[in-house]
Amino acid sequence: MTDEGEQQEALVKRAEDEREEIFRRYELGLDPSNVVDSWENPTFEIYHITDKYGFMHDSRLPTTRNAQELHRNNIEAERDKKWLKMLGHWPPPADKLHKRVYKGIPDRVRWQAWKRLLNVEHSIASNVGVYARMLQLARKYSTEARQIDADVNRQFRDNLAYRERYCTKQVSLFNVLNAYSIYNSELGYCQGMACVAGVLLLYMVEEEEAFWALNTLITDPKYGMHGLFIEGFPKLTRFIAHHDRIMSKIMRKLHKHFTKHNVDALLYAIKWFFVVFVERVPFSLSLRVWDIFMLDGDRVILSMAITILYLHKDELIRLKDMDAIIEYLQVKLHKNFGYNDDDAIQALERVMKKLKDLKLDVPPPAKSNEFPSRKLGDFVEADMEKKIGRRRNDYTDNEKQVITDVISRQEQNAIEVQSTVSYETSECATVTLTVPEDSHSIRSSLAGTSVASHGSSETMSLEDNNVHLKTANMLQNNTPQRELLLGT
């Protein structure tokens, strides 16, 4: 064996040992022998600071419930009964299901409803033993275990379900993501998948249920998340282009304002599209959007993006620099959306109707590169570069195309704005809501969004006033760019 061959063999052995050690730690779970660093399990209070979804807050929540909250709880209790009855006679009439989903699926039956909407039980019955086999293969062959381990350790650490290192939910998330990276070998793993699977596991009782729910969201054309996570991000490019098209037609004033301040949609919409608004709007509202997304598919994401911008357009136009606009959209709305969930969803319904009337509710059709081309479940052994974890030093053609599209879109936006003489006279005029007095009493700090390599820690910042020039310079310097890092 040559020196190079021996070196490669040693690197493969090191990677295998590392993978086995990572899996062993998750297998031990909360066993006392599984010692973790103290910083990985920060101390925290449980009582008074944890909301109904398990998320902890900096300040204490009220110790008593006010009349409004009691009223909401009574309404949800009544909806529980209606949903339980409807779930027992599935499927219900389409109009009845639509009405109830848009009113909000009660939290206590959300797991059962999502399983029905995603047809999870059918997937499990049709694929007996597949999940267990994928998990076994992952332990032996996964090249994504290190990155998945790092992301599991970051995901929802402010939620009781994921708070403790190697707790049950962390173990389940690690297993589901590794098994899926083997099942869909063409896709492998992308960081946004951890958030999607993490939300599913908050409600799905069994790992296998979350696995097949994730598969439906990724491979079913109704949701088509494969095209968001695959190298080159073709669906992201398509959705961003259509988002810009909508903005230029019905929100010209805000579109011009964003272009003037170099606010590309990539700066604020990545997490909107990739994880359906989780950690960009209050969690209770993101769950309502997830409910509707599972019912009506990916067109909901485009409509919700426009709804957010419309509801907050006046404040956004008052902000006069890119950093302030991005902070508002990425951070402040997560802390205080300014509208209650019911008002926001009613606005979403009206925007969806208006976009449909204008024939803007659906983007141009997807190309074949947004869907899996390999047979799902067929094991494909990784090449030597992936086995030893060696990072590429240059762009793929797909990645170069992403950068070219960003530059081209920004140049086109600038041309359109320069040629626009008048602002719009009506922006989604049918949407009118009352803003609460405290809607803008929001406190937080800027959270970054960037483009990074698939499975690596390298990042390419998009938070620059001349993002297209910076991106072009990076392309000329062959800086690697493979995966979206979704700003936690």
Side-chain angles (χ1 to χ4, degrees):
M1 183 180 290
T2 64
D3 290 343
E4 183 179 354
E6 290 177 352
Q7 184 182 24
Q8 282 193 341
E9 187 175 287
L11 290 171
V12 169
K13 180 64 166 61
R14 185 178 71 179
E16 289 174 348
D17 290 345
E18 180 186 36
R19 178 176 62 244
E20 177 58 30
E21 174 60 16
I22 291 171
F23 270 87
R24 187 188 70 82
R25 298 293 298 273
Y26 281 92
E27 190 174 58
L28 284 172
L30 294 175
D31 189 288
S33 65
N34 196 10
V35 180
V36 299
D37 293 333
S38 58
W39 65 267
E40 292 191 272
N41 281 322
T43 57
F44 59 90
E45 296 179 73
I46 294 178
Y47 299 104
H48 306 297
I49 62 169
T50 307
D51 65 23
K52 64 182 285 188
Y53 304 105
F55 287 96
M56 291 169 284
H57 298 266
D58 293 335
S59 57
R60 291 176 180 270
L61 296 176
T63 56
T64 59
R65 295 177 177 178
N66 59 32
Q68 189 176 20
E69 184 180 0
L70 289 171
H71 179 64
R72 286 197 302 267
N73 289 342
N74 290 335
I75 291 175
E76 184 154 323
E78 289 300 315
R79 288 178 180 170
D80 281 347
K81 298 175 185 177
K82 293 179 180 179
W83 268 92
L84 286 170
K85 184 177 180 180
M86 186 170 69
L87 289 166
H89 299 83
W90 196 267
D95 58 340
K96 182 179 182 180
L97 180 61
H98 173 94
K99 182 179 179 180
R100 288 193 176 169
V101 169
Y102 276 76
K103 282 187 175 181
I105 300 175
D107 207 54
R108 282 183 286 271
V109 300
R110 186 166 268 124
W111 161 61
Q112 299 177 55
W114 283 5
K115 282 207 306 180
R116 299 290 203 289
L117 292 169
L118 298 177
N119 212 11
V120 169
E121 291 178 348
H122 174 76
S123 296
I124 293 175
S126 303
N127 295 277
V128 176
V130 171
Y131 174 67
R133 183 165 62 88
M134 293 301 109
L135 193 53
Q136 289 175 350
L137 288 170
R139 182 156 191 165
K140 189 174 181 180
Y141 297 107
S142 174
T143 60
E144 309 284 2
R146 180 199 294 177
Q147 185 62 53
I148 291 172
D149 174 48
D151 291 343
V152 167
N153 198 20
R154 291 192 288 256
Q155 192 62 52
F156 294 145
R157 293 308 296 275
D158 58 343
N159 188 289
L160 288 177
Y162 291 97
R163 184 70 168 177
E164 194 169 2
R165 193 68 172 111
Y166 301 113
C167 62
T168 300
K169 288 297 184 182
Q170 280 203 2
V171 172
S172 294
L173 182 57
F174 177 80
N175 288 342
V176 167
L177 293 173
N178 273 287
Y180 198 79
S181 73
I182 297 293
Y183 182 73
N184 190 340
S185 58
E186 181 181 5
L187 175 59
Y189 171 72
C190 176
Q191 286 175 312
M193 294 165 62
C195 185
V196 174
V199 173
L200 293 172
L201 281 164
L202 282 174
Y203 290 94
M204 302 281 172
V205 176
E206 302 292 337
E207 288 179 13
E208 188 172 9
E209 293 175 341
F211 176 88
W212 291 112
L214 178 66
N215 181 62
T216 299
L217 292 175
I218 288 175
T219 61
D220 190 324
K222 180 177 180 178
Y223 312 104
M225 300 188 91
H226 183 96
L228 290 173
F229 298 134
I230 195 69
E231 179 189 283
F233 322 115
K235 185 170 184 175
L236 177 66
T237 302
R238 182 167 62 94
F239 267 47
I240 290 289
H242 191 65
H243 175 78
D244 284 349
R245 189 176 303 117
I246 295 172
M247 291 277 288
S248 68
K249 290 184 179 297
I250 68 173
M251 301 186 75
R252 294 175 190 158
K253 184 175 182 178
L254 186 60
H255 184 55
K256 179 174 181 178
H257 181 69
F258 278 6
T259 302
K260 176 182 177 181
H261 295 289
N262 294 313
V263 179
D264 189 279
L266 273 175
L267 293 174
Y268 60 82
I270 287 177
K271 203 153 191 175
W272 289 1
F273 295 163
F274 267 61
V275 296
V276 196
F277 303 93
V278 173
E279 296 178 339
R280 287 296 179 264
V281 300
F283 190 68
S284 60
L285 178 56
S286 68
L287 286 176
R288 296 282 297 274
V289 178
W290 272 61
D291 295 341
I292 298 167
F293 171 60
M294 290 187 187
L295 176 68
D296 285 338
D298 58 10
R299 68 188 183 94
V300 173
I301 299 176
L302 285 164
S303 296
M304 186 62 186
I306 296 300
T307 302
I308 291 172
L309 296 178
Y310 175 75
L311 291 177
H312 299 279
K313 63 185 176 66
D314 291 341
E315 179 64 22
L316 289 167
I317 288 172
R318 281 194 288 269
L319 300 174
K320 301 303 182 184
D321 66 83
M322 184 187 73
D323 288 344
I325 293 170
I326 298 305
E327 179 183 2
Y328 188 87
L329 292 172
Q330 286 192 339
V331 180
K332 292 185 175 181
L333 292 184
H334 182 219
K335 299 295 183 182
N336 184 345
F337 192 72
Y339 297 85
N340 68 46
D341 296 350
D342 288 335
D343 285 345
I345 295 303
Q346 289 168 15
L348 170 62
E349 281 195 89
R350 289 193 284 268
V351 169
M352 291 177 71
K353 182 180 185 303
K354 184 169 184 68
L355 292 179
K356 186 175 182 179
D357 292 342
L358 295 172
K359 295 182 171 55
L360 291 171
D361 60 320
V362 179
K367 296 181 181 178
S368 60
N369 62 346
E370 291 189 23
F371 306 104
S373 59
R374 296 179 190 169
K375 184 178 178 181
L376 298 170
D378 280 2
F379 173 65
V380 178
E381 191 168 355
D383 59 29
M384 184 59 66
E385 298 297 301
K386 286 188 176 181
K387 282 183 177 180
I388 64 179
R390 183 177 292 158
R391 294 180 293 192
R392 291 187 281 108
N393 294 319
D394 56 0
Y395 287 100
T396 66
D397 290 341
N398 285 336
E399 290 165 350
K400 290 178 181 177
Q401 186 60 50
V402 172
I403 295 172
T404 300
D405 290 342
V406 171
I407 298 170
S408 175
R409 190 178 65 254
Q410 289 195 330
E411 291 174 345
Q412 182 61 37
N413 285 343
I415 292 171
E416 289 179 0
V417 168
Q418 289 172 4
S419 64
T420 301
V421 178
S422 62
Y423 289 168
E424 77 279 33
T425 57
S426 174
E427 298 181 356
C428 297
T430 58
V431 185
T432 55
L433 296 172
T434 302
V435 184
E437 292 180 0
D438 62 344
S439 65
H440 299 302
S441 58
I442 308 170
R443 302 179 305 278
S444 193
S445 59
L446 181 64
T449 301
S450 61
V451 177
S453 63
H454 208 300
S456 83
S457 60
E458 298 176 67
T459 61
M460 178 180 71
S461 173
L462 290 177
E463 295 177 1
D464 188 280
N465 287 332
N466 294 300
V467 61
H468 56 290
L469 296 177
K470 185 174 183 181
T471 306
N473 291 336
M474 294 182 72
L475 176 57
Q476 293 171 359
N477 294 330
N478 292 321
T479 306
Q481 176 263 344
R482 305 174 192 173
E483 176 180 281
L484 291 175
L485 180 63
L486 298 176
T488 55

